[in-house]
Amino acid sequence: MEVLKRLPDNSVDLIVTDPPYLIEKSSGGGSMGHKAMKVYDELDGKNLMNGFGEEVLQELVRVCNGVNIYLFCSKRQIPWLTRFFCEKHGCGLEVIVWEKTNPVPLCSNKWLNDKELCLFFRKDAYCKPGCMANARTVFRYPINQKDKKKYGHPTIKPLPIIERIVLNSSRPGDTVLDPFMGSGTTGVAAVRNGRSFIGCEIDRNYFLTA
């Protein structure tokens, strides 16, 4: 919030971010239950399960030139986010899906956690995939355990997905913002493709990694 409040109105062209999800701990019995609790404890220890407030969304709308915002989120956050952007700000909505080809096998008492969702809210903003292959909304990639270990972040996203988002929804020279930067995937995607980048990260270790 300190950084966002210093940014001028309409000063960024695209926002791509993976903020803290709102996740309720649950567990089953046996080994699957223990694995679930290990995953939840890791996220909880990094403060990645408690969501974030509407004051952040207000700032994102203010600093964005139009509304051109991609937000990874949990299922519990979907109604709140769609109310804010679609009902309150008149945005269009698209859903991007990351289908995990190697999901954590936590399915003893619920559906398999084999996907993550990214909501794309748009109003008076640029989006030009250019061809059908670039316009696909479902990405099939494995959970990258190597990068998770290398960069130390438990929810790191595949770089090819973020790069496709950046290429589809910004032009060379545009400014991309990630207010929940983590280990810097959005920054890498932006800089590698000729965009300027602004990133915020409250965890010093993640910031130094980025």
Side-chain angles (χ1 to χ4, degrees):
M1 288 300 291
E2 292 174 10
V3 175
L4 289 175
K5 287 182 177 180
R6 294 202 301 266
L7 297 179
D9 294 357
N10 309 315
S11 59
V12 302
D13 303 289
L14 172 65
I15 297 172
V16 184
T17 194
D18 183 21
Y21 289 4
L22 187 60
I23 302 173
E24 185 176 356
K25 276 191 179 183
S26 63
S27 64
S31 61
M32 291 299 180
H34 293 308
K35 288 181 180 179
M37 291 308 295
K38 183 178 179 180
V39 171
Y40 291 136
D41 287 344
E42 182 180 23
L43 296 176
D44 202 18
K46 298 293 186 179
N47 195 27
L48 297 175
M49 292 178 59
N50 300 316
F52 60 100
E54 189 166 306
E55 68 274 11
V56 175
L57 300 181
Q58 297 282 11
E59 285 297 296
L60 298 188
V61 170
R62 181 186 66 79
V63 303
C64 201
N65 184 17
V67 177
N68 199 21
I69 301 176
Y70 289 82
L71 282 159
F72 284 86
C73 66
S74 67
K75 291 178 290 185
R76 293 179 66 192
Q77 290 168 309
I78 292 173
W80 170 59
L81 291 171
T82 53
R83 281 195 300 269
F84 178 85
F85 284 104
C86 299
E87 297 179 17
K88 188 172 182 179
H89 290 280
C91 297
L93 168 65
E94 184 57 79
V95 181
I96 310 298
V97 179
W98 169 24
E99 179 189 349
K100 302 175 183 178
T101 57
N102 61 339
V104 179
L106 306 178
C107 56
S108 57
N109 65 346
K110 61 178 183 177
W111 290 99
L112 186 65
N113 184 24
D114 59 353
K115 67 182 180 300
E116 289 199 33
L117 303 177
C118 179
L119 305 186
F120 172 37
F121 298 103
R122 177 188 179 197
K123 183 179 180 181
D124 301 325
Y126 178 83
C127 182
K128 193 173 182 180
C131 67
M132 191 173 76
N134 293 345
R136 293 187 179 277
T137 59
V138 178
F139 294 82
R140 299 186 77 250
Y141 285 100
I143 299 170
N144 193 333
Q145 297 293 348
K146 180 181 177 182
D147 279 355
K148 286 177 70 170
K149 291 177 181 178
K150 182 177 180 180
Y151 300 115
H153 199 288
T155 65
I156 193 166
K157 297 299 182 287
L159 179 59
I161 297 178
I162 307 303
E163 279 199 296
R164 178 48 52 201
I165 288 172
V166 168
L167 289 168
N168 282 359
S169 290
S170 66
R171 304 174 179 90
D174 280 354
T175 297
V176 180
L177 167 68
D178 185 350
F180 297 96
M181 184 172 61
S183 55
T185 305
T186 300
V188 172
V191 172
R192 275 176 41 153
N193 292 283
R195 279 70 170 165
S196 298
F197 178 68
I198 301 169
C200 318
E201 176 50 53
I202 199 168
D203 186 302
R204 178 173 173 77
N205 289 328
Y206 295 154
F207 177 80
L208 293 176
T209 296

